[in-house]
Amino acid sequence: MDTDLQPADNVTAIAERLALAILEHRLAPGTKMSEDDVGEIFGVSRTIVRAAFQRLSHDRLIDLRRNRGAFVAQPTVREALEVFEARALLEPRMARSAAERATRADIAFLRDHIGQEHAAIHARDFGRALYLSGQFHVELVRIADQDTIASFIRQLVSRSSLVIALYWQRRHALCESDAHHTLIDAMARGDGALAEKVMTAHLADLLASLDLRRRTSGTMSLKDALS
Amino acid sequence: MDTDLQPADNVTAIAERLALAILEHRLAPGTKMSEDDVGEIFGVSRTIVRAAFQRLSHDRLIDLRRNRGAFVAQPTVREALEVFEARALLEPRMARSAAERATRADIAFLRDHIGQEHAAIHARDFGRALYLSGQFHVELVRIADQDTIASFIRQLVSRSSLVIALYWQRRHALCESDAHHTLIDAMARGDGALAEKVMTAHLADLLASLDLRRRTSGTMSLKDALS
DNA sequence: CCCACGTGTTTCGTATACAATTTCGCCCAA
DNA sequence: TTGGGCGAAATTGTATACGAAACACGTGGG
């Protein structure tokens, strides 16, 4: 049985836990992560932590500065715009493909996914809700069955999460927009053209809801964030 | 001035030299690279080599198999198709942007780049010619001034090089197609729409010139390839 | 003749030690 | 008070050591 997706690989496991902490906004952009501290928290040596850092750095989730250490990335305004431009180029087409390929099981899975997201909101776990909201896009590309583009989207969605952490003022109004529902409906009907259009609009909305002039701040200790 | 792009960073330097060896087809897909051997060739410890390997692995240039080692990646037919599908989605738009933004200096740079490529062909250094031919696409996106998408293209072009190594039969007829010249001409006239169209056709041609049924093979020793 | 098995060798995974660099507090002078 | 420099402490960069897993190969049984 390999239903247990726990990676037997230490560095993967730790990279994923760190990524989740960032994506759920438990670790604020700019936070410094010392190799020793992280290693001690997870009970591994710096060797492992460094490898995990390098992976996250390649996904632009953290910024690795030579002889200085690892910091949760702080996308600039320019990077934020680039990320959304890239998403606008890729995701609508993926939404179309997904709509054309989605099975009944896929649709059910996505509906369940949104269910979890709502549950998280209800439990006031906004970090997790935000993470799931991003994962929705990743799942969509998975259905489109394009692994290569999926890896790009995964990175872009992750970076979007950082952008949101930095430039989103009104937190609690999160993705209430039922864009995801609309998307699923279009997919359930196999309407690729509509799905593509809805996705385009959804991404534009997301970008428009940011205030790129102001940056929110806030920090938290490592141990608390990685519990 | 930062015209000196020599990385003071050992792992970056080694990752780049390995990447170049792969991109110039001096290292054939499937070749195993032992950490010890590579470390000895470059005069660094396995620590550095491992870090470099992890980077290349993230770009899918090498395949890292746990407890087995690092192998030059061998993209499957499916991956090959995905790579070109992704390029088809991104590059035409980038060609348009580049055409609309290119300065006189940019055009001159690209022309010179093609000049180097022809020189390499003339010197029968087909590996280098192929590398430069790929770099042309990367430079194009650089002109389009989209760093995020540029990083994706860089990866896709690299993987394309592996695809070509595996699935290209008639080697010596390389990119003689003057698609790159046509592209530059369109850019010089600032004709974005044309550049977009030419790029689309160029990528389709490239894909069509592959024979995805047959795989070429061939290998070479590490020390020779990394001299 | 072929396949299963055990042993020695190679290669990788991880921890740790030490060197190099940065950071921070402290003192002193302007 | 403020700014600069000096040294100690902390943190990262790299090499190395040792345990563990995979591989190579020779041996013996079927």
Side-chain angles (χ1 to χ4, degrees):
Chain A
M1 292 287 256
D2 64 333
T3 61
D4 190 49
L5 280 214
Q6 243 62 286
D9 188 351
N10 258 337
V11 2
T12 303
I14 287 174
E16 284 177 2
R17 287 187 64 178
L18 287 173
L20 195 62
I22 295 173
L23 265 35
E24 288 186 348
H25 291 196
R26 299 198 305 271
L27 283 171
T31 306
K32 161 150 193 187
M33 298 187 291
S34 132
E35 297 178 354
D36 270 323
D37 291 350
V38 176
E40 189 157 5
I41 289 172
F42 290 123
V44 295
S45 82
R46 283 177 50 218
T47 306
I48 309 297
V49 176
R50 280 175 75 80
F53 278 0
Q54 232 193 22
R55 256 189 241 186
L56 297 179
S57 160
H58 201 286
D59 284 338
R60 315 266 202 147
L61 254 76
I62 70 176
D63 203 11
L64 231 40
R65 293 207 287 254
R66 186 176 173 82
N67 279 319
R68 298 251 162 74
F71 302 79
V72 179
Q74 308 188 75
T76 63
V77 170
R78 185 198 162 139
E79 287 173 314
L81 292 173
E82 282 196 3
V83 164
F84 277 94
E85 208 153 329
R87 293 185 65 173
L89 218 46
L90 294 171
E91 291 201 63
R93 186 74 68 92
M94 290 301 102
R96 174 193 285 267
S97 290
E100 288 164 356
R101 302 178 45 93
T103 65
R104 204 167 286 269
D106 290 329
I107 302 293
F109 180 86
L110 286 181
R111 288 204 198 281
D112 176 69
H113 189 98
I114 291 193
Q116 288 182 252
E117 189 182 330
H118 281 214
I121 291 178
H122 198 71
R124 319 222 119 238
D125 190 349
F126 298 113
R128 176 140 199 92
L130 216 51
Y131 165 72
L132 289 170
S133 165
Q135 276 308 105
F136 182 86
H137 290 249
V138 174
E139 296 298 341
L140 213 75
V141 194
R142 194 185 51 69
I143 293 171
D145 203 32
Q146 288 276 344
D147 291 346
T148 298
I149 294 176
S151 75
F152 295 155
I153 301 282
R154 193 164 10 248
Q155 177 186 137
L156 292 169
V157 166
S158 298
R159 295 177 71 184
S160 296
S161 175
L162 287 172
V163 169
I164 287 170
L166 278 175
Y167 300 109
W168 207 6
Q169 250 56 38
R170 38 180 164 34
R171 292 302 184 75
H172 295 265
L174 52 71
C175 262
E176 305 278 350
S177 97
D178 43 17
H180 289 185
H181 278 121
T182 316
L183 218 31
I184 293 191
D185 291 342
M187 291 177 63
R189 294 209 309 280
D191 190 338
L194 180 59
E196 184 170 348
K197 225 174 74 178
V198 171
M199 178 62 87
T200 302
H202 176 42
L203 290 173
D205 274 1
L206 216 55
L207 179 56
S209 76
L210 300 177
D211 181 353
L212 293 175
R213 293 162 311 180
R214 216 178 308 279
R215 297 166 64 125
T216 63
S217 59
T219 181
M220 183 185 267
S221 94
L222 271 190
K223 276 184 285 300
D224 293 343
L226 301 177
S227 65
Chain B
M1 290 293 254
D2 63 335
T3 60
D4 190 53
L5 282 209
Q6 243 61 285
D9 188 351
N10 259 336
V11 2
T12 303
I14 287 176
E16 283 178 2
R17 288 187 63 179
L18 287 172
L20 196 62
I22 296 174
L23 265 36
E24 289 186 346
H25 292 196
R26 298 198 306 271
L27 283 171
T31 306
K32 163 152 191 184
M33 298 187 291
S34 135
E35 296 178 355
D36 273 321
D37 292 349
V38 176
E40 189 157 5
I41 288 172
F42 289 122
V44 296
S45 80
R46 284 177 48 219
T47 307
I48 309 296
V49 177
R50 279 176 74 80
F53 278 0
Q54 233 192 24
R55 258 190 239 184
L56 297 180
S57 159
H58 202 288
D59 284 337
R60 314 268 202 147
L61 254 72
I62 70 177
D63 203 12
L64 234 38
R65 290 205 287 248
R66 186 177 174 83
N67 280 319
R68 295 247 168 81
F71 301 80
V72 178
Q74 308 189 73
T76 63
V77 170
R78 181 191 167 146
E79 286 173 312
L81 292 173
E82 282 196 4
V83 164
F84 276 94
E85 208 153 330
R87 293 186 64 173
L89 217 47
L90 294 172
E91 292 201 64
R93 186 74 69 92
M94 290 302 102
R96 174 192 286 268
S97 291
E100 287 163 357
R101 303 178 45 93
T103 66
R104 203 167 288 269
D106 291 328
I107 302 293
F109 180 86
L110 287 180
R111 288 203 199 280
D112 177 68
H113 189 98
I114 290 192
Q116 289 182 252
E117 189 181 329
H118 281 215
I121 291 179
H122 198 69
R124 318 222 119 237
D125 190 349
F126 298 112
R128 176 137 199 95
L130 215 52
Y131 166 72
L132 289 170
S133 164
Q135 276 309 105
F136 181 87
H137 291 249
V138 174
E139 295 299 340
L140 213 76
V141 194
R142 192 184 51 71
I143 293 171
D145 203 33
Q146 287 278 341
D147 291 347
T148 298
I149 293 176
S151 74
F152 296 155
I153 301 282
R154 194 163 9 249
Q155 179 186 135
L156 292 170
V157 166
S158 298
R159 294 177 71 184
S160 297
S161 175
L162 287 172
V163 169
I164 287 171
L166 278 174
Y167 299 108
W168 208 6
Q169 249 55 39
R170 37 181 165 32
R171 291 301 183 76
H172 296 265
L174 50 73
C175 259
E176 305 280 350
S177 98
D178 43 17
H180 290 184
H181 277 122
T182 315
L183 218 30
I184 294 190
D185 291 342
M187 292 177 63
R189 294 210 308 280
D191 189 340
L194 180 58
E196 183 169 347
K197 224 174 73 177
V198 170
M199 177 62 89
T200 303
H202 176 42
L203 291 172
D205 275 359
L206 217 55
L207 179 56
S209 76
L210 300 177
D211 181 353
L212 294 175
R213 293 162 311 178
R214 216 179 308 279
R215 298 167 64 127
T216 64
S217 59
T219 180
M220 184 185 269
S221 93
L222 270 191
K223 276 183 286 299
D224 293 342
L226 301 176
S227 66

